[in-house]
Amino acid sequence: MARTAAYERPSATPRAWQAVLEHIEAQLLSGELAAGDRLPGERQLSTDLGVGRSSVREALRVLEAMGLVRTATGSGPTAGAIIVATPAGAMGALMRLQVAARGFPVADIVRTRLVLEASVVEELAGADPVPSLAELTRLLDAMDARDLAPDDFLALDAAFHLGLAEASGNQVIAATMAGLRSGIEGYARAGVARLADWGATSARLRHEHRGVLEAIRASDATLARTLIRDHIAGYYAETLAETSAPPTARPAAPIPAPPVSKEIRSW
């Protein structure tokens, strides 16, 4: 259908943080920036690129997750972000993935997320001790703001899922999730227009996020895996629903997910 075809191609207009990321990526790939070089400060990058400093920080966070920069707080010659690796070989491919992700079929991105994120939460739940989830909790608290616009909510949502990957300590998974982030956020934003009730959906998503964290804290790897798969596949299914369907109807997920546990059905 034309509706689905359009949905498979998220908007090519980059968000502000993506513009910063692509600017730095281009300099790395061209050799203009190399290992040991220090990036301009947040204020200068913000002024040069015409974006907010929060967008600069978000781009640096993605580059740090990919293992390309290291950031330090404070002031003086050691503050800011320094290049610690150049995007050669596999890392170069991951950087190109970040740019290409906006054009990937959504179904392929979702299937990849199901594999990666199910593995991530299972590993986190099985860790002893469980890694700190404080930053992830902070993101969920920010998503509870009543006046949060859908785009801002979904930007925090993407940060939450990337944060799960980073918490696992697996740099390859974290880098791959960072590479897919623009595609993930793109299809999530495109789906908002297909929702009958954004308020109800966002409330459900917040509840599901917290359920995943609680399962991790409880060291219940099976439940954490089930919850994250239901969460990812559920939003994909809901946002591909026909607009003529009854508001309460939920289509079967195009991507098979494990059966919803008894605990979830009782919520």
Side-chain angles (χ1 to χ4, degrees), residues 69-185:
V69 306
R70 185 180 69 248
T71 59
T73 57
S75 58
T78 61
I82 187 171
I83 307 297
V84 295
T86 52
M91 188 59 71
L94 284 170
M95 291 185 69
R96 288 189 291 275
L97 169 63
Q98 194 280 329
V99 176
R102 287 194 297 269
F104 288 159
V106 172
D108 289 352
I109 295 176
V110 174
R111 289 188 180 96
T112 301
R113 290 187 67 190
L114 289 172
V115 172
L116 293 181
E117 297 196 51
S119 174
V120 161
V121 298
E122 193 170 44
E123 184 174 342
L124 288 173
D128 185 17
V130 173
S132 172
L133 304 176
E135 175 63 17
L136 295 172
T137 301
R138 186 193 67 78
L139 287 169
L140 297 189
D141 290 343
M143 293 169 75
D144 286 338
R146 292 179 178 273
D147 58 348
L148 201 60
D151 278 6
D152 293 332
F153 179 98
L154 292 171
L156 290 169
D157 180 283
F160 171 80
H161 287 275
L162 177 57
L164 282 172
E166 292 171 351
S168 75
N170 187 317
Q171 294 185 18
V172 176
I173 290 180
T176 303
M177 284 296 295
L180 291 173
R181 179 168 176 171
S182 62
I184 292 170
E185 194 174 342

Side-chain angles (χ1 to χ4, degrees), residues 9 17 19 28 47 51 65 67 80 96 157 166 179 191 194 220 224 265:
R9 296 189 297 274
W17 71 268
L28 287 167
T47 300
V51 299
R96 288 189 291 275
D157 180 283
E166 292 171 351
R194 296 170 177 80
D220 191 335
R265 288 195 298 269

